Amino acid sequence: PEQPSQPITLTVDVYKFDEALHTSPKKEYVEYTLTNGGYRYKFGFYYAFKSGDLIRLTDGTTLGYVKFPAIDGYKLTNITLTSGAGSNKRIKLWSDDPLTAAKELDAYELLGTSTTTAEQSFDIKDPQVGVAYYISSQATNAQFRNLVLTYEK
């Protein structure tokens, strides 16, 4: 079916990824297809794992990432994360696989303190249509609980 009119908002909590994510880091790529409103969107994970009610991008030893869906005719314009307590680490944004790309597009600081969570919104500078974006980190406490992705035509 044809995609709905703009914008498309995908709201995901970590429990949606239960089937795909390991409970400890593994050096393998796994995919998860989210069905939302009758449409299917593919997410990818490398080394990221589920820890309680959080997705951790890494355990601090290896670069881990989450790949967001590319949607034909749409560009990802905003990422909103609810970080876990203690998530005061840097994440990076990529338009190619972080394991092989030359340089990240941008970097953001997660602002969770040791006892509180924080919802943060990041606008993507000069977003491109049909591109799958990635967030990555090699910092131990780079983690999030909820995720909202906004796509526009």
Side-chain angles (χ1 to χ4, degrees):
E2 192 171 314
Q3 291 288 349
S5 62
Q6 66 158 352
I8 295 173
T9 301
L10 299 179
T11 303
V12 183
D13 65 43
V14 297
Y15 300 106
K16 298 265 189 202
F17 298 123
D18 275 353
E19 301 166 16
L21 289 178
H22 300 289
T23 55
S24 62
K26 294 189 184 337
K27 290 184 181 179
E28 65 182 33
Y29 180 80
V30 294
E31 282 189 344
Y32 175 77
T33 301
L34 172 71
T35 301
N36 185 6
Y39 299 95
R40 296 167 53 117
Y41 304 99
K42 280 196 177 178
F43 287 79
F45 301 90
Y46 178 79
Y47 207 72
F49 62 100
K50 189 163 180 249
S51 176
D53 64 348
L54 298 168
I55 292 177
R56 292 182 59 188
L57 293 174
T58 181
D59 63 357
T61 61
T62 299
L63 180 79
Y65 67 75
V66 177
K67 178 182 177 183
F68 301 133
I71 301 175
D72 287 340
Y74 286 81
K75 55 190 171 190
L76 179 62
T77 58
N78 181 274
I79 300 167
T80 300
L81 298 170
T82 302
S83 59
S87 298
N88 54 347
K89 301 297 181 191
R90 179 174 291 253
I91 59 170
K92 295 180 179 181
L93 178 72
W94 307 81
S95 60
D96 277 319
D97 183 334
L99 300 177
T100 59
K103 181 158 177 28
E104 73 270 8
L105 298 175
D106 214 338
Y108 310 105
E109 295 293 330
L110 294 175
L111 300 177
T113 68
S114 61
T115 58
T116 62
T117 62
E119 182 177 287
Q120 296 167 256
S121 186
F122 307 109
D123 290 325
I124 295 177
K125 298 173 190 161
D126 192 28
Q128 302 299 307
V129 172
V131 170
Y133 287 93
Y134 303 70
I135 56 169
S136 73
S137 184
Q138 197 164 341
T140 302
N141 283 334
Q143 57 198 11
F144 62 91
R145 175 172 289 120
N146 297 315
L147 171 67
V148 179
L149 304 175
T150 304
Y151 293 83
E152 298 178 12
K153 282 232 178 231

